[in-house]
Amino acid sequence: MVKHHVFIVIILVLLICGLEKVSAQNSKQYKKAVQKEYKAKIKKYTSEGWAIFGTSHSLEVALLKHYEKLSEDGITEVYGTAVSSNKNIGKDKLMMSACISYAQKCGSNIKGRIVEDMGSVVSFEELEEFEHFYAAYENNVQAQIKGELVASYSIYRPTKINGKDVYEFETYYIVDETAASKARIRAFQNAIKESAVAQKYAEMISKFIEEGNSINE
């Protein structure tokens, strides 16, 4: 019996050591992949004429800090774009662009789930009626997600549009998906008020959102 227990302990120790080794290898591979991606993005930004904006940090440091944030569990990114004739670009423009982009992806994701998972129980007429719900949902996501976007870094570059000198801007935002999920649920609760068909299938749609309607899925 004692030998049997000793054997089990040895097996457990070997398993733990093996898991720790695999975890260390995966961590090393992940860091290597991130470093490669980081260098590629810096090279891309530099070759395309982008420069850091709105901070005393260098582009390299700002991007490094951004990747550090993205390494945390449940953190994703979204970015906004804008064009201006001067460098005094309003932050609201970039924020609105990011909110619209996020909302459109959320709307596209939920539409895909409804068509794919509910296609057999929803009539063609109801699927058409859902278009009103998608629009209402996206509008509400835009309003609800605004408070959950945290600016990480901004870049800009001079360019020409229709022969006119302008500046292009991009701002990258950090999104906590736990908070964003709550914002999407609030958006859904507001959106179903404007759609009878969404109210009919509210329970099913709510599950799609709660299961993780992330923009990065």
Side-chain angles (χ1 to χ4, degrees), residues 45 49-63 80 82 84-94 151-158 167-173:
Y45 282 158
W50 292 99
I52 195 68
F53 178 73
T55 178
S56 59
H57 288 306
S58 66
L59 176 59
E60 288 79 4
V61 171
L63 188 59
S84 175
S85 58
N86 59 68
K87 291 183 183 179
N88 297 320
I89 182 69
K91 293 181 179 179
D92 289 344
K93 269 189 176 181
L94 291 159
S152 182
Y153 72 96
S154 301
I155 53 176
Y156 79 103
R157 66 177 176 180
Y167 293 95
E168 285 183 293
F169 294 86
E170 289 185 1
T171 293
Y172 286 76
Y173 300 86

Side-chain angles (χ1 to χ4, degrees), residues 199-211:
Q199 292 173 27
K200 180 179 178 180
Y201 298 101
E203 186 175 349
M204 295 178 71
I205 301 171
S206 179
K207 285 182 179 179
F208 296 156
I209 295 173
E210 290 175 359
E211 286 170 2

Side-chain angles (χ1 to χ4, degrees), residues 30-47:
Y30 172 75
K31 289 179 180 178
K32 188 176 180 180
V34 170
Q35 184 67 16
K36 183 179 179 181
E37 184 178 319
Y38 167 81
K39 289 180 178 179
K41 183 157 283 191
I42 289 293
K43 184 178 180 180
K44 177 179 181 293
Y45 282 158
T46 303
S47 65

Side-chain angles (χ1 to χ4, degrees), residues 27-196:
S27 178
K28 187 176 181 180
Q29 290 174 353
Y30 172 75
K31 289 179 180 178
K32 188 176 180 180
V34 170
Q35 184 67 16
K36 183 179 179 181
E37 184 178 319
Y38 167 81
K39 289 180 178 179
K41 183 157 283 191
I42 289 293
K43 184 178 180 180
K44 177 179 181 293
Y45 282 158
T46 303
S47 65
E48 293 180 355
W50 292 99
I52 195 68
F53 178 73
T55 178
S56 59
H57 288 306
S58 66
L59 176 59
E60 288 79 4
V61 171
L63 188 59
L64 186 61
K65 286 179 174 291
H66 181 71
Y67 274 104
E68 287 176 353
K69 294 171 187 173
L70 287 180
S71 68
E72 299 174 15
D73 290 339
I75 300 298
T76 58
E77 69 174 16
V78 63
Y79 71 95
T81 63
V83 175
S84 175
S85 58
N86 59 68
K87 291 183 183 179
N88 297 320
I89 182 69
K91 293 181 179 179
D92 289 344
K93 269 189 176 181
L94 291 159
M95 173 65 81
M96 179 57 67
S97 172
C99 288
I100 290 173
S101 175
Y102 187 95
Q104 288 176 340
K105 289 176 181 177
C106 287
S108 178
N109 283 350
I110 200 66
K111 181 176 182 178
R113 290 297 304 272
I114 289 173
V115 172
E116 182 179 345
D117 295 10
M118 295 170 54
S120 60
V121 296
V122 178
S123 69
F124 178 77
E125 289 75 17
E126 287 177 325
L127 283 176
E128 286 189 323
E129 287 181 37
F130 264 119
E131 294 297 329
H132 300 294
F133 166 73
Y134 302 142
Y137 178 62
E138 286 186 19
N139 287 335
N140 278 280
V141 170
Q142 285 182 39
Q144 295 293 333
I145 200 62
K146 186 175 181 179
E148 308 303 338
L149 303 187
V150 179
S152 182
Y153 72 96
S154 301
I155 53 176
Y156 79 103
R157 66 177 176 180
T159 187
K160 284 183 179 292
I161 295 181
N162 297 325
K164 183 179 179 181
D165 291 326
V166 296
Y167 293 95
E168 285 183 293
F169 294 86
E170 289 185 1
T171 293
Y172 286 76
Y173 300 86
I174 293 298
V175 185
D176 182 332
E177 277 303 314
T178 299
S181 177
K182 293 177 182 178
R184 292 194 299 268
I185 291 171
R186 291 196 300 270
F188 164 70
Q189 290 170 341
N190 290 331
I192 61 170
K193 298 174 184 177
E194 304 177 39
S195 172

